[in-house]
């Protein structure tokens, strides 16, 4: 993510959507909007939950961003591939 050719440090609004293809395709689930995200040198962290939309098929994350508080969203390209990992399991230990 660049702002005027530099990694930005500011607050931004984001929209995240999950797709089944790198280009075009079908959106999976709903778009998640997170506002006022602190970005430092182009790096940010957010928590996303797309629910039960991961069934082993390819998934791609589309990210749209704008300066916090207004303006048009800019779509970052390309969409980011999401790779699957092992499902987390809850475990209890009795001692």
């Amino acid at each position: 993510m660049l702002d005027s050719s530099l990694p930005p440090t500011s607050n931004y609004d984001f929209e995240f959507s999950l797709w089944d293809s790198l280009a075009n395709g079908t959106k999976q689930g709903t778009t998640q909007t997170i506002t006022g995200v602190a970005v430092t040198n182009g790096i940010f962290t957010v928590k996303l939950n797309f629910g039960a939309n991961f069934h082993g098929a390819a998934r791609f994350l589309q990210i749209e961003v704008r300066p916090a508080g207004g303006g048009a969203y800019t779509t970052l390209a390309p969409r980011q591939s999401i790779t699957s990992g092992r499902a987390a399991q809850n475990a209890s230990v009795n001692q």
Side-chain angles (χ1 to χ4, degrees), residues 78-93:
R79 291 178 182 159
Q80 299 300 301
S81 176
I82 297 178
T83 56
S84 61
R86 294 189 83 156
Q89 297 180 6
N90 292 328
S92 303
V93 177

Side-chain angles (χ1 to χ4, degrees), residues 6 9 21-22 25 35 47 49 73-74:
L6 298 172
T9 297
S21 178
L22 182 60
T35 59
K47 290 184 181 183
N49 183 350
Y73 280 94
T74 298

Side-chain angles (χ1 to χ4, degrees), residues 31-78:
T31 299
Q32 297 182 35
T33 301
I34 303 176
T35 59
V37 176
V39 177
T40 304
N41 292 321
I43 299 171
F44 63 93
T45 301
V46 296
K47 290 184 181 183
L48 303 172
N49 183 350
F50 288 104
N53 286 293
F54 298 91
H55 305 288
R59 294 292 182 253
F60 299 86
L61 185 66
Q62 180 169 296
I63 304 170
E64 298 179 56
V65 62
R66 71 178 183 186
Y73 280 94
T74 298
T75 302
L76 303 181

